[in-house]
RNA sequence: GCGCCCAUAGCUCAAUUGGAUAGAGUAGCGGACUUCGAAUCCGUUGGUUGGGGGUUCGACUCCCUCUGGGCGCACCA
């Protein structure tokens, strides 16, 4: 596809004292379409040229005259606005989408470099609740977005499968557990036992000692305890796998903390050799005063390990085994200090790749009753949310399209998609309060809206096909000059930019919003224009446009992890 | 006490990372189905971007300060 920015940069730089690359960087998209498709702000030039920006724009406009590919160039205040030749662009863009299909707008800026993404990271023996959805979906979407740009990806579910709480859990199983009940309903039963442990430990502190000893046995790979640990992991994973399947996600690795506990020692040894370790209040720490952080604990007073050390080990393991160009941690903002410390220690160890590590943080999720507390029982299970949305979709399908083929599949695609989409529709960092009504309301800016639009495109394409008409690059673009068509074409051109913005800011919501914008533009076009008409040429042009919209919508939906059913 | 994050229309959120008249959805009101899917579309009401200073051609965006909320401050993860 023609790079029109390049054309502008070349033309402008020939007339002012700026190199083409600098001009290229300055070019922006006016938000109001009446101001053209590209804009070059002249304010910066006013210092060197000692002229008013508006005057510079005016002079430049005259000097440029006509530039190929643009129908009009206009000076407006200090801006020089460029208007694309709509018919030319429509022909070019639609042909490109139809030809490249799901490859459209992709590029290879990643060059095959590996990006490691850690996300979801659920805790064994604890429920998968609504609070885990953000990490899970942001991580998965970022994975797909990186692939879009030619990165290789490696996704890790860094399971919370280690630590003193497993000592507590195993003690509770031994004392009060009912094996059959646990096998029947693993996570809720284990959670009950965990809660009970804390209640009983209030009265009897010796339970805590017993738990600590049990964890030490686990660290020492005591076979009996290890078997119980494994039982908890396996039972929990059955439940988690079911949920990941509903979300359409799988991971390249489920190596959790337990796995990396075997890799800690060499790192600790190296810290010691490098004289980076200090003893403070009985613990082994890395002092981080020089970077304005509190010390990082590497070894506890009692000599046992801590999660910081395991994270340190896992970072090394990942660099060594996957040789990443980027390592992304999708973890809540409550861990911000932890990751600052982690990256700071890596830097102190002379790891240049420390700045290839990135903490992608997000705000806290709470529910109406306040904070999410698994132990306190103030929790909403993710699966309940997914199913509630699916049931609501089922009700709507019953009402609108009861004869829908593959109905059960579609209910899942749309219901689960609604939950996923609303999570990825807003920026990461704000806290938010989860409400069930939000995910069972499907009007307006929602996943089902985008899916509905896609299904509508598919329906049109089926109807056209029945008349021997299918999207083809052989159409007359000058028939697509009505406002709605032009607006769609402009959006189709910007797809790559939207995804790239998401990549650079680690914000999938840019893609989700793009999908809604495109759907909105299409629905307006649909309302204003009969697509399949007696006029064969006109129909051909419009069907080409519909085909292009369908393709890009489907790809955008894929990037934000929702399915694109062809009927709903 | 120190540090990080957040504050935009009644509500939920955007704003091309410093650009032009701050935009959507939702709620309210008024319209559009004998025609390709009304889970749709069109119109309309709604703003001192928490307050105050500063930086500059230009600030929701950057700096300072105050207010209000969230989180974190070594042996839990």
């Amino acid at each position: 596809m023609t790079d029109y920015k390049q054309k502008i940069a070349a033309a402008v730089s020939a007339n002012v004292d700026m190199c083409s690359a600098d001009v290229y960087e300055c070019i922006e998209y006016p938000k109001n379409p009446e101001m053209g498709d590209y804009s070059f702000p002249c304010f910066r030039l006013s210092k060197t040229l000692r002229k008013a920006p508006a005057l510079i724009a005016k002079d430049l406009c005259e000097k440029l005259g006509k530039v190929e590919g643009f129908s009009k160039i206009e000076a407006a205040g200090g801006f020089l606005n460029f208007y694309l030749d709509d018919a030319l662009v429509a022909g070019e863009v639609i042909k490109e989408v139809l030809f490249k299909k799901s490859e459209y707008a992709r590029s290879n800026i990643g060059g095959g470099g590996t990006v490691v993404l850690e996300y979801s990271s659920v805790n064994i023996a604890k429920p998968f609740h609504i609070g885990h959805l953000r990490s899970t979906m942001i991580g998965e979407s970022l994975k797909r977005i990186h692939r879009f740009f030619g990165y290789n990806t490696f996704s890790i579910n860094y399971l919370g499968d280690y630590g003193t709480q497993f000592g507590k859990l195993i003690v509770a199983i031994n004392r009060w557990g009912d094996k059959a009940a646990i096998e029947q309903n693993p996570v809720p039963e284990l959670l009950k036992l965990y809660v009970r442990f804390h209640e009983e430990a209030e009265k009897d502190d010796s339970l805590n000692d017993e738990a600590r000893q049990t964890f030490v046995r686990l660290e020492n790979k005591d076979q009996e305890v290890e078997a119980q640990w494994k039982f908890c992991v396996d039972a929990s994973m059955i439940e988690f796998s079911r949920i990941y399947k509903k979300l359409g996600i799988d991971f390249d690795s489920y190596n959790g903390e337990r796995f990396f506990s075997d890799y800690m020692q060499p790192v600790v040894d190296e810290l010691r050799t490098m004289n980076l370790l200090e003893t403070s209040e009985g613990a082994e720490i890395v002092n981080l005063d020089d970077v304005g952080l509190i010390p990082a604990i590497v070894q506890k007073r009692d000599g046992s390990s801590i999660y910081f050390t395991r994270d340190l080990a896992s970072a090394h393991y990942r660099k060594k085994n996957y040789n990443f160009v980027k390592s992304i941690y999708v973890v809540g903002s409550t861990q911000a200090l932890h990751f600052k410390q982690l990256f700071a220690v890596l830097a102190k160890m002379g790891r240049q790749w420390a700045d290839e590590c990135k903490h992608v943080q997000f705000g806290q999720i709470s529910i109406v009753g306040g904070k999410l507390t698994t132990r306190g029982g103030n929790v909403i299970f993710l699966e309940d949310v997914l199913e509630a949305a699916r049931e609501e979709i089922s009700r709507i399908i019953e009402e609108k399209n009861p004869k829908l083929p593959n109905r059960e599949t579609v209910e899942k695609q749309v219901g689960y998609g609604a939950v996923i989409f609303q999570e990825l529709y807003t920026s990461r960092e704000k806290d938010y309060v989860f409400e069930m009504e939000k995910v069972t309301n499907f009007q307006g800016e929602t996943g089902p809206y985008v899916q509905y639009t896609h299904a509508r495109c598919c329906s049109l394409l089926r109807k056209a096909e029945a008349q021997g008409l299918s999207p083809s690059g052989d159409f007359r673009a000058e028939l697509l000059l009505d406002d709605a068509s032009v607006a769609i074409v402009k959006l189709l051109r910007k797809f790559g930019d939207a995804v790239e913005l998401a990549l650079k800011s680690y914000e999938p919501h840019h893609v989700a919003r793009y999908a809604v914008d495109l759907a909105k533009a299409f629905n307006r076009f649909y309302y204003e224009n009969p697509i399949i008409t007696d006029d064969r040429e006109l129909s051909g042009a419009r069907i080409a446009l519909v085909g292009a919209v369908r393709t890009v919508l489907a790809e955008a939906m894929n990037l934000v992890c929702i399915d694109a059913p062809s009927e709903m």
Side-chain angles (χ1 to χ4, degrees), chain A residues 124-126 169 173 182 185-195 231-232 235-236:
Chain A
I124 295 299
K126 294 215 183 130
L169 188 61
I173 293 171
I182 297 172
N185 203 12
V187 170
E189 283 300 317
L190 292 173
L191 180 62
K192 259 190 238 166
L193 288 167
Y194 187 65
V195 171
F231 171 77
C232 294
S236 303

Side-chain angles (χ1 to χ4, degrees), chain A residues 94 467-481 525 530-546:
Chain A
I94 295 168
Q467 301 187 17
L469 202 60
S470 58
S472 131
D474 183 22
F475 66 92
R476 292 181 55 200
E478 66 272 22
L479 297 175
L480 298 175
L481 292 176
F525 164 78
I531 314 246
I532 301 165
T533 66
D534 295 337
D535 183 337
R536 197 82 182 164
E537 286 200 319
L538 184 62
S539 303
R542 287 182 176 161
I543 278 296
L545 183 62
V546 173

Side-chain angles (χ1 to χ4, degrees), chain A residues 391-431:
Chain A
E391 277 162 30
E392 180 63 15
I393 290 295
S394 177
R395 203 187 53 73
I396 294 173
I397 290 178
E398 181 62 36
E399 180 189 313
K400 307 202 184 242
N401 197 4
K403 288 181 197 150
L404 176 68
N406 300 319
R407 182 169 157 175
E408 275 189 30
T409 306
V410 174
E411 283 175 6
K412 290 177 187 170
Q413 290 175 316
V414 180
Y416 303 163
V419 178
I420 293 167
F421 194 86
Q422 59 90 35
E423 188 69 63
L424 291 178
Y425 196 64
T426 58
S427 55
R428 284 184 277 118
E429 307 226 11
K430 280 183 206 172
D431 296 349

Side-chain angles (χ1 to χ4, degrees), chain A residues 144-273:
Chain A
R144 296 178 186 204
I145 289 167
H146 277 88
R147 293 196 160 195
F148 187 86
F149 287 116
Y151 288 94
N152 181 32
T153 58
F154 194 87
S155 55
I156 299 174
N157 194 339
Y158 188 63
L159 295 175
D161 59 2
Y162 211 50
T164 34
Q165 77 262 29
F166 284 88
K168 294 176 183 175
L169 188 61
I170 290 167
V171 167
I173 293 171
N174 290 340
R175 289 191 172 237
W176 313 296
D178 174 349
K179 270 251 148 100
I182 297 172
E183 267 164 359
Q184 190 92 46
N185 203 12
V187 170
E189 283 300 317
L190 292 173
L191 180 62
K192 259 190 238 166
L193 288 167
Y194 187 65
V195 171
R196 176 150 179 204
F197 178 92
H198 281 271
E199 286 164 5
E200 304 269 354
E202 289 273 298
K203 294 173 266 176
D204 179 2
D205 193 46
S206 73
L207 283 173
N208 285 315
D209 295 331
E210 196 182 331
R212 268 190 290 270
Q213 283 157 19
T214 307
F215 178 60
V216 171
R217 284 172 67 194
L218 181 61
E219 278 202 294
N220 295 335
K221 303 201 190 305
D222 176 298
Q223 284 198 354
E224 190 195 334
V225 178
E226 206 162 42
Q228 284 175 305
W229 171 84
K230 183 119 195 339
F231 171 77
C232 294
V233 174
D234 291 345
S236 303
M237 284 313 296
I238 291 171
E239 200 156 324
F240 297 158
S241 300
R242 192 177 65 232
I243 295 169
Y244 287 126
K245 195 174 166 204
K246 291 184 180 184
L247 296 172
I249 294 178
D250 65 64
F251 294 89
D252 297 309
S253 164
Y254 291 84
N255 287 338
E257 289 189 78
R258 179 75 207 274
F259 177 85
F260 291 106
S261 65
D262 292 338
Y263 293 84
M264 294 184 294
Q265 202 52 52
V267 185
V268 175
D269 291 344
E270 188 177 346
L271 281 169
R272 187 165 288 120
T273 313

